[in-house]
Amino acid sequence: TVKNTRDQEPYMPKHLKRSSDSIVGDVIQYQTFLQVDINDSLETVIKRMRTVKKYAAVVTDKQGKAIGLITAYKLLTNAFGRCDENGIWGHVSLTSYKNLKAGDVMIMNPTCIEYDCPADVGLQVMQRHDYSFVPVTRNGKTIGIADINDLFSKQYRHLQNTVKDQGQMIACLMGYDSYGGASKIAV
């Protein structure tokens, strides 16, 4: 059973402090996301995913609450089975997938993270559960999908800036300016 992170505080060791002030909402705010109905045909979901060039779609109820998640990987494995060692797909013929609905291949009751969740905590939740995509909610309504690559990139840029700032501080304390020359600061 997948637990919902909205009901529990993500684990974070006490010796680790937040590496940034950014929230998940900052990362997803300008991104479009694909929202589908549980009764949409799999063919429709695939076409829409290809059209918007997204690897995930969130299945929502009438109130906008995430009730399922469809990722490209889960779509392939749930609809067509797994590839064997010869590269042959499993249990479903390529023509019978047209009878499947979004509800047949979705990950039910997906873990969601809140819009105002710190980006580093969102990344930790996704890494801990080995998720690539997670629906993002605000007041119980789905407003986007967080992609682990986007969260990682955000944290990586923050880390680069932190290291640069710390490097400049260390250079200053050692009597050098940030451009490699001697500083006018007396030590």
Side-chain angles (χ1 to χ4, degrees), residues 26-59:
D26 296 337
V27 178
I28 68 157
Q29 68 181 343
Y30 300 112
Q31 297 178 0
T32 58
F33 75 102
L34 185 55
Q35 190 171 342
V36 298
D37 185 77
I38 195 166
N39 294 314
D40 285 348
S41 72
L42 190 55
E43 186 175 24
T44 300
V45 173
I46 292 170
K47 284 179 183 177
R48 290 183 65 202
M49 288 174 84
R50 287 182 63 198
T51 301
V52 296
K53 297 180 179 152
K54 296 291 179 183
Y55 295 102
V58 65
V59 182

Side-chain angles (χ1 to χ4, degrees), residues 114 137-141:
E114 287 291 326
T137 60
R138 181 183 251 173
N139 300 323
K141 185 175 179 180

Side-chain angles (χ1 to χ4, degrees), residues 98-162:
K98 293 180 180 186
N99 298 328
L100 295 174
K101 304 276 185 207
D104 297 328
V105 298
M106 71 181 188
I107 301 164
M108 296 184 67
N109 302 316
T111 297
C112 297
I113 52 180
E114 287 291 326
Y115 176 87
D116 58 355
C117 175
D120 57 338
V121 174
L123 182 61
Q124 288 176 3
V125 168
M126 294 176 82
Q127 288 176 319
R128 184 172 357 118
H129 295 291
D130 198 25
Y131 296 149
S132 297
F133 304 96
V134 175
V136 178
T137 60
R138 181 183 251 173
N139 300 323
K141 185 175 179 180
T142 306
I143 59 165
I145 299 175
D147 180 332
I148 195 166
N149 294 320
D150 295 337
L151 288 177
F152 181 78
S153 294
K154 177 78 169 177
Q155 292 308 106
Y156 180 74
R157 285 191 303 276
H158 175 75
L159 183 60
Q160 282 181 318
N161 291 335
T162 301

